[in-house]
Amino acid sequence: MNADHPTGIDSKAAMEKVAWLELLISMTAIVVTLFLIPFLGHGASAGFVLLGGVACSFFFLRSRTTRTIMDERDREIERLATRRGLEFAWWVLLLAMIVIVLWPRNGENGGFVPKSTINWLIWSQFALFFGAKGLTGVILYRRQAHAS
């Protein structure tokens, strides 16, 4: 609750809450997955199921009042955060594929990459995208002099 706001609503922007949620969920998914590796091996990639929690950000964007939820600043921050998240995820994907192709043991599988490696790579990209997007959004909101 915020006493400065006439309705007592927290003045933190809805999109800032979304950025924090994306960052928190992606980091939690990565930590849980890394924790499960010793117990489940390749099955530990199931820990990335926590990324589905990003869909809960919808609840921050619903409004029962006439209050503006997103303004131009929020749209610009979201656009920039999405761009930086995608750039980061694509660069990591590119470097990972270079390593996979050049890895000396790749010849043992007849030149094919195992499905489990591709599975890990895809899920890791989702986690890295949402983590980088959330972190960028949080940083950009924290740099603002005042919230909307």
Side-chain angles (χ1 to χ4, degrees), residues 50-68:
L50 296 173
L51 290 173
V54 171
C56 294
S57 64
F58 168 76
F59 295 111
F60 294 129
L61 301 177
R62 291 183 357 177
S63 176
R64 295 186 184 129
T65 65
T66 58
R67 194 172 131 230
T68 303

Side-chain angles (χ1 to χ4, degrees), residues 77-130:
I77 289 174
E78 180 68 14
R79 185 193 63 75
L80 186 59
T82 301
R83 185 174 142 223
R84 287 189 182 165
L86 279 172
E87 288 172 354
F88 178 72
W90 276 109
W91 275 109
V92 171
L93 177 67
L94 176 67
L95 294 174
M97 288 187 160
I98 289 171
V99 168
I100 289 171
V101 169
L102 297 178
W103 194 259
R105 297 180 62 189
N106 198 22
E108 294 176 5
N109 295 323
F112 296 104
V113 178
K115 287 183 196 177
S116 60
T117 303
I118 301 297
N119 184 37
W120 276 97
L121 192 57
I122 290 170
W123 281 110
S124 298
Q125 291 310 300
F126 281 116
L128 290 173
F129 165 70
F130 283 116

Side-chain angles (χ1 to χ4, degrees), residues 1-2 5 7 14 25 33 38 43 56 71 81 85 88 94 112 114 120 145:
M1 296 286 261
N2 186 353
H5 196 279
T7 60
I25 287 177
T33 303
C56 294
D71 59 7
F88 178 72
L94 176 67
F112 296 104
W120 276 97

Side-chain angles (χ1 to χ4, degrees), residues 11-21 74 137-138 141-142 147:
S11 64
K12 187 181 288 190
M15 292 306 294
E16 184 177 359
K17 292 176 185 176
V18 169
W20 276 107
L21 183 70
D74 293 323
V138 167
Y141 275 108
R142 292 286 121 196

